[in-house]
Amino acid sequence: MEKNKKIYLDYAATTPIDSKVLKEMLPYLEKEHGNPSSIYEFGQRAQMALDKARGNVGDFLNCSPSEIIFTGSATEANNLAIFGIVRATQKKGMKPHLITTEIEHHAVLEPCKILEKEGVEVSYLPVNKEGLIRISDLKKAITRNTILVSVMYANNEIGTIQPIAEIGKLLKKSKILFHTDAVQAANYLSCDVKKLGVDLLTLSGHKIYGPKGVGALYVKKGTEILPIIYGGGQETGVRSGTENVAGIVGLAAAIKQIKNEKLKVKSLKKLRDKLIDGILKSVSDVKLNGSRESRLPNNANFTIRGAEGESMVIALDQEGIAASTGSACSSRSLEPSHVLLALRLPPPEAHSSLRLTLGRYTTEKEIDKVLEVLPKIVQRLRKISPFK
Ligand SMILES: *Cc1c(COP(=O)(O)O)cnc(C)c1O
């Protein structure tokens, strides 16, 4: 390893773009500049690239290409899923009720909060100490008006994997639609929409070694959904705006690479466990947040009592290590993470969290380096902690 090589342990925030993905994108940023809606050859070549990409995403999700809507981000895909289903229901004169969880990404929670202000009823399922919802809570929350359940596949902060297929099976017997935000799960878990029993599923390009600014929403055929963006009627009228051809080609190219990620799950888990066990052993008064079993193979999240989260991130950065915390950094506010609060961590503990997320390029040497420097950083920070 080079002497001052940076160590990136924030793959849940974003991933570096794969060189093969970039190579597939480049023609569409240069010579292939056609608008897919134009009928002359330039346009049709871009349209063909979109069709091919849609096919790749459809293969990955085990659905028809016509069920894929490309969007400008996973945030937009989540907004489309929630507002789109609610608006379609309201149009029919019905009063919708939604069910989601306390630990969703803001891209699900904020649309829900806006809808609540409009008078839409929303139930937020709590999670247990490990960050898992209980199926019995979900069953209890269902009312006559429930139209949509949105439960994330895997959590971005604590890596907890929810029992999506089990929820899908339960909801199959009803008319209730089921959406899952699969952004963090896509690298490692099956996203077969038929096996999962979902009606809507969200993906993001930049969490799977693809480009930023592109997402996709699977919408099961026959689902009534209204657009949130109106205009030229692209994406079968559900998402207007000239398609980001290069971005979409990149998203599809990234999806084609995912099978390689799945092959490496075992070695990734080994590295993650070395990190987790190493920190639990070498730092005192530390706790792993989330589930040990039902957890993404690349996620480690700790509460390190008496060490403030943002200070740990800054100190690690000074050692060339990029990490994350559930406190100030991620939300750009002083509010501690809603996910950690949902685990019923007291606010000072929620402020003392450290998230390390591994990925394709993580090496054992890098883990060793973290294990070497973190205990010293924690010791130093505890001396000046306001939480003591
Ligand atoms: C990153 C992330 C998003 C948002 O994705 P963007 O494409 O950046 O909008 C949504 N949900 C989860 C779980 C994420 O990790």
Side-chain angles (χ1 to χ4, degrees), residues 243-271:
E243 293 90 345
N244 172 5
V245 180
I248 291 166
V249 166
L251 172 68
I255 277 175
K256 284 191 283 175
Q257 303 283 324
I258 280 181
K259 54 182 184 297
N260 303 329
E261 235 45 58
K262 292 206 171 114
L263 292 176
K264 287 185 286 192
V265 161
K266 224 173 140 180
S267 56
L268 190 61
K269 262 189 190 156
K270 227 172 113 185
L271 283 182

Side-chain angles (χ1 to χ4, degrees), residues 282-284 304 307 312 315-316 319 368-383:
S282 62
V283 181
S284 62
I304 303 180
M312 283 191 279
L316 282 166
E319 299 284 343
D368 288 336
K369 171 86 180 173
V370 174
L371 293 177
E372 182 201 317
V373 302
L374 187 66
K376 293 178 207 157
I377 289 172
V378 170
Q379 210 176 24
R380 182 155 51 80
L381 291 177
R382 276 181 175 155
K383 283 197 190 125

Side-chain angles (χ1 to χ4, degrees), residues 7-22:
I7 297 175
Y8 186 73
L9 287 171
D10 205 13
Y11 284 82
T14 194
T15 54
I17 194 162
D18 180 276
S19 58
K20 286 200 198 102
V21 169
L22 179 62

